[in-house]
Amino acid sequence: RTASKVNAHERMAEVNKVEDDIKQGMEFTFPWLSDSSKTKVKRFTLQDAVYQWMSKRIGKLAKNTTDLNKVGLDYFVKFMGKTQPLENITTSQMERFADWLDGRGLSKNTINIHLRTIKAMFRYYLMVDKLNKIPHIQQLSVPETEPIYITDNEFQSIMELDWLDDFYKRVFLFYRETGVRLKEPMMSVLDGSWIDIPNTSKTKKGRNIELDKPLQTIFIDLEDWCESGYGSTLVDRGADHISKKFKKTLRSIGADERKHFHSLRHTFAVRRLIQGTSIYDLKLLMGHSSVTTTEVYSNMNLKRVAQDFPTIVTSYVNEAKIGKWDTEKWDTISLPTTYMS
């Protein structure tokens, strides 16, 4: 900003005086950059931090994840104030923020998701030397709950609903037998007997699932429906429709209100463990990023599981006794022959 070496050295000396503060996120306006005769400090505010951090993440994460991050950070800015200097936020303020979220009626799991987002932002600014410390952010304690699955009797009741179209019965069977997430079939491709799930799925890791002939047929039907039926044009639209239809069937048979479409994925996991699939193989089948996520299924109440899946338990035990297991057999739940063709 000057042709004078003397002025340049003087200005550099002014900058060097506040070097550490600049690295901690503080912004300065020096006299030669404004009409002021004094150096003025501008704090690195929470609003600045959120804007810069989210700008780096947009396009790198799934839209749902980005939207969820934004919701949590919007809450944070609303509670703390836009002009709050980032370096001034304390552990006690974070505790009050968690209480504030709880007072708004958010579930503990949702609050923990928001706290993890905020912690990730703080850790980023610590890593890039804009902070020299970060507040302690404590996750809320959430009681351990067992996965909510669909029992043999409940699934049989769904298959016997007169008003439910055969297409949906076949689709629900597909999800129960594969354990795929709701939107994964709609972004996958059938290659021979395998469906290739791309790395745009939740864990950002592609995986492959082998289908037998009946499941291949159902996948093709679902694919056609997505392209030309109700589910055409938008993946979200088709997935949302199937999820709501399944919830309607659950209410129709009088199932527990806590059960929902994702319960089919839990059902797949529990059934596979009963059949003897190892926890590590199950991790691969379900596309979990860590076996820790999968291990929740190994802590089920065995007595209750045996009662909820009597057909598959009996079949597996009997086959094991004579040293063989028919991998083509799904179980003894009766399905109309059209589902198996």
Side-chain angles (χ1 to χ4, degrees):
R1 297 298 180 107
T2 177
S4 168
K5 288 186 178 181
V6 173
N7 286 343
H9 283 296
E10 289 175 348
R11 293 176 183 183
M12 194 66 212
E14 289 296 312
V15 173
N16 288 338
K17 288 178 183 179
V18 293
E19 178 182 358
D20 290 340
D21 292 331
I22 291 174
K23 288 181 177 179
Q24 296 306 315
M26 296 172 65
E27 295 183 19
F28 292 83
T29 299
F30 297 96
W32 59 89
L33 298 176
S34 67
D35 295 331
S36 173
S37 60
K38 296 182 178 180
T39 297
K40 293 183 178 180
V41 61
K42 178 186 176 184
R43 297 278 184 172
F44 186 56
T45 66
L46 177 57
Q47 182 173 252
D48 295 331
V50 168
Y51 176 77
Q52 292 181 25
W53 191 66
M54 285 301 299
S55 297
K56 292 179 178 293
R57 294 170 72 80
I58 292 175
K60 297 180 180 179
L61 301 174
K63 184 179 182 302
N64 288 347
T65 303
T66 303
D67 290 344
L68 191 58
N69 285 175
K70 187 177 184 303
V71 170
L73 291 170
D74 284 347
Y75 277 135
F76 194 42
V77 171
K78 183 176 182 179
F79 177 79
M80 295 290 179
K82 295 179 180 179
T83 59
Q84 169 81 286
L86 189 66
E87 71 270 17
N88 289 355
I89 296 175
T90 65
T91 298
S92 61
Q93 284 180 306
M94 292 305 309
E95 291 172 350
R96 291 198 297 273
F97 173 63
D99 291 339
W100 181 76
L101 290 178
D102 186 51
R104 297 179 68 88
L106 276 64
S107 71
K108 285 183 169 56
N109 283 324
T110 300
I111 293 172
N112 283 339
I113 290 172
H114 293 330
L115 292 177
R116 282 196 294 271
T117 297
I118 294 162
K119 185 175 183 178
M121 182 182 71
F122 271 112
R123 292 177 67 180
Y124 167 76
Y125 286 118
L126 180 67
M127 179 183 70
V128 297
D129 293 329
K130 283 205 169 183
L131 292 174
N132 58 16
K133 64 178 181 178
I134 60 176
H136 178 66
I137 301 176
Q138 180 67 46
Q139 293 278 290
L140 302 185
S141 177
V142 179
E144 289 188 8
T145 57
E146 292 185 350
I148 300 173
Y149 53 76
I150 309 300
T151 68
D152 274 358
N153 287 337
E154 288 171 334
F155 198 79
Q156 180 64 51
S157 296
I158 291 172
M159 295 296 105
E160 293 173 354
L161 289 173
D162 293 334
W163 60 266
L164 184 62
D165 187 89
D166 284 358
F167 167 76
Y168 296 106
K169 294 179 182 180
R170 288 160 59 82
V171 168
F172 298 157
L173 177 67
F174 178 88
Y175 280 98
R176 190 193 73 163
E177 295 302 315
T178 60
V180 293
R181 298 180 180 88
L182 177 58
K183 296 179 184 178
E184 286 181 339
M186 299 164 192
M187 58 178 70
S188 302
V189 175
L190 182 64
D191 182 14
S193 61
W194 296 79
I195 56 169
D196 299 329
I197 301 175
N199 59 7
T200 52
S201 187
K202 182 178 179 180
T203 56
K204 300 300 180 185
K205 292 182 179 179
R207 72 184 194 281
N208 315 98
I209 298 177
E210 188 173 19
L211 306 180
D212 57 21
K213 288 293 184 182
L215 292 180
Q216 291 174 37
T217 301
I218 298 173
F219 177 83
I220 292 171
D221 289 346
L222 179 57
E223 191 175 44
D224 290 342
W225 179 82
C226 287
E227 292 177 356
S228 58
Y230 186 91
S232 61
T233 308
L234 295 175
V235 168
D236 288 345
R237 178 187 177 191
D240 186 56
H241 174 74
I242 290 175
S243 177
K244 289 179 178 178
K245 181 71 72 172
F246 188 69
K247 186 63 178 179
K248 182 179 179 181
T249 67
L250 290 173
R251 287 173 175 158
S252 178
I253 65 171
D256 190 321
E257 271 297 316
R258 294 177 302 163
K259 299 190 177 186
H260 42 73
F261 187 86
H262 199 71
S263 299
L264 287 171
R265 182 165 160 86
H266 292 319
T267 306
F268 165 81
V270 174
R271 286 164 56 87
R272 279 303 185 108
L273 285 178
I274 293 172
Q275 293 173 342
T277 301
S278 76
I279 201 73
Y280 297 99
D281 287 341
L282 184 60
K283 168 191 174 293
L284 296 176
L285 288 170
M286 300 193 74
H288 288 157
S289 56
S290 169
V291 74
T292 303
T293 305
T294 319
E295 285 175 345
V296 66
Y297 298 105
S298 64
N299 298 322
M300 303 291 292
N301 183 309
L302 295 180
K303 178 181 178 182
R304 183 164 66 84
V305 168
Q307 293 171 339
D308 289 338
F309 298 98
T311 55
I312 196 169
V313 170
T314 301
S315 298
Y316 179 68
V317 171
N318 288 341
E319 295 290 352
K321 285 179 180 178
I322 60 175
K324 64 179 182 179
W325 173 246
D326 183 1
T327 56
E328 295 293 326
K329 185 191 303 182
W330 290 356
D331 59 46
T332 58
I333 284 182
S334 59
L335 295 169
T337 54
T338 53
Y339 303 151
M340 306 296 291
S341 62

